Amino acid sequence: MNIAVFGGCYPDKEYEEKVYNLFKEKFINKDINIITCGTVGTIEAVCKATKENGLKNIATSLNKWENYINKYIDETHLFDNELDRLKYITNISDMYIVLDGDIGTFEELFVVLEITQDIDKPIYLLGNKVKNALDMLIANEVITDKVLDRFMYVDLIK
């Protein structure tokens, strides 16, 4: 199973520790591959925990970020542009996890939603920032019920 994880690359040590602990505790199945941008911050915490648990970490990043790939990555796929990277991720992923992040995290989420709109792959939201932003979009009827049915919010990171 391939699980794509989107999240912030900017350091937030407290949040990173919570994410690390969550992934260290919950992601122990060796048949899971974790797909991320492979860089620093929250994503590095995910990669560290899953690597320690023996899972395979796959980085999908842009050529310009190649020097920022973290040391827990087993395999790297580099792309010239973000759209090609996200198309690749949607082709190989069985589900998605969205952690708190910034504009890049939301870009990843919305492009994946657009590309996979006719495919029923679950999306787990594990963060208050991302949930609050989506609540605003739901309140303003930007997100349809069909899309909304794919989301599951899990308040595991408090």
Side-chain angles (χ1 to χ4, degrees), residues 48-108:
K48 179 180 179 186
T50 54
K51 180 74 170 182
E52 289 173 358
N53 285 346
L55 281 68
K56 182 176 182 181
N57 284 309
I58 302 170
T60 60
S61 194
L62 299 181
N63 288 314
K64 66 182 181 180
W65 302 119
E66 182 177 12
N67 294 332
Y68 297 95
I69 301 297
N70 73 63
K71 64 184 178 185
Y72 305 105
I73 296 299
D74 299 300
E75 179 180 316
T76 302
H77 299 268
L78 297 173
F79 298 87
D80 291 328
N81 64 70
E82 189 71 0
L83 185 56
D84 287 344
R85 181 180 88 85
L86 292 171
K87 284 179 183 177
Y88 176 79
I89 290 171
T90 58
N91 284 334
I92 66 170
S93 297
D94 300 302
M95 64 178 283
Y96 307 92
I97 295 174
V98 183
L99 302 166
D100 281 348
D102 295 308
I103 194 72
T105 302
F106 287 99
E107 174 196 17
E108 291 168 328

Side-chain angles (χ1 to χ4, degrees), residues 86-153:
L86 292 171
K87 284 179 183 177
Y88 176 79
I89 290 171
T90 58
N91 284 334
I92 66 170
S93 297
D94 300 302
M95 64 178 283
Y96 307 92
I97 295 174
V98 183
L99 302 166
D100 281 348
D102 295 308
I103 194 72
T105 302
F106 287 99
E107 174 196 17
E108 291 168 328
L109 172 61
F110 290 123
V111 171
V112 165
L113 281 173
E114 178 64 26
I115 292 172
T116 65
Q117 61 184 312
D118 296 324
I119 303 168
D120 190 24
K121 294 182 181 180
I123 301 169
Y124 291 88
L125 307 175
L126 301 178
N128 291 327
K129 281 171 67 174
V130 70
K131 182 183 183 308
N132 292 341
L134 284 173
D135 285 345
M136 185 264 313
L137 295 172
I138 292 164
N140 288 290
E141 299 178 1
V142 174
I143 294 182
T144 65
D145 288 341
K146 180 181 175 183
V147 172
L148 190 58
D149 288 343
R150 294 179 58 196
F151 288 106
M152 289 161 256
Y153 177 67

